[in-house]
C-alpha cells in the first residue's frame, strides 16, 4: 500500500490541472482505487439513507390514512 503522504502528493498535480495530466505508477493506481472505493461507499451510504428516509415517510403517510369501514 501507499503512505497517506504519498497519496496526497499524487493528488496535488491532479487538483492543479484536472484531467489534463496522468500520473502513473503503483502509488497512482492505489490512490485512484482508494478514491473510487470511497466514492462508491459514500454513494451507497447516501442511497441507504435515502431509502431508509423514504420508507419512514411512506409508513408515516400510510399510518395517517383512514381505513375504509368495508375493509375492517
Amino acid at each position: 500500500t501507499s503512505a497517506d503522504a504519498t497519496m496526497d502528493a499524487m493528488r496535488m498535480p491532479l487538483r492543479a490541472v484536472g484531467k489534463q495530466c496522468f500520473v502513473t505508477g503503483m502509488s497512482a493506481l492505489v490512490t485512484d482505487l482508494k478514491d473510487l472505493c470511497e466514492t462508491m461507499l459514500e454513494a451507497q451510504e447516501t442511497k441507504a439513507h435515502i431509502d431508509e428516509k423514504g420508507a419512514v415517510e411512506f409508513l408515516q403517510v400510510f399510518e395517517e390514512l383512514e381505513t375504509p369501514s368495508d375493509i375492517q
Side-chain angles (χ1 to χ4, degrees):
T1 62
S2 300
D4 288 338
T6 302
M7 289 190 284
D8 290 341
M10 301 302 283
R11 291 182 186 106
M12 289 176 65
L14 297 175
R15 284 188 207 119
V17 296
K19 295 184 179 185
Q20 296 178 5
C21 77
F22 297 96
V23 180
T24 62
M26 286 304 295
S27 292
L29 178 71
V30 171
T31 301
D32 287 345
L33 185 57
K34 180 180 178 191
D35 291 346
L36 177 63
C37 291
E38 288 176 350
T39 300
M40 291 181 73
L41 180 61
E42 289 172 8
Q44 287 176 343
E45 289 172 351
T46 300
K47 183 181 181 304
H49 176 71
I50 290 170
D51 289 347
E52 180 180 315
K53 183 179 177 188
V56 169
E57 289 174 357
F58 172 77
L59 290 174
Q60 288 172 342
V61 169
F62 185 75
E63 289 173 354
E64 292 173 4
L65 294 175
E66 293 183 19
T67 306
S69 58
D70 58 324
I71 296 178
Q72 293 180 357

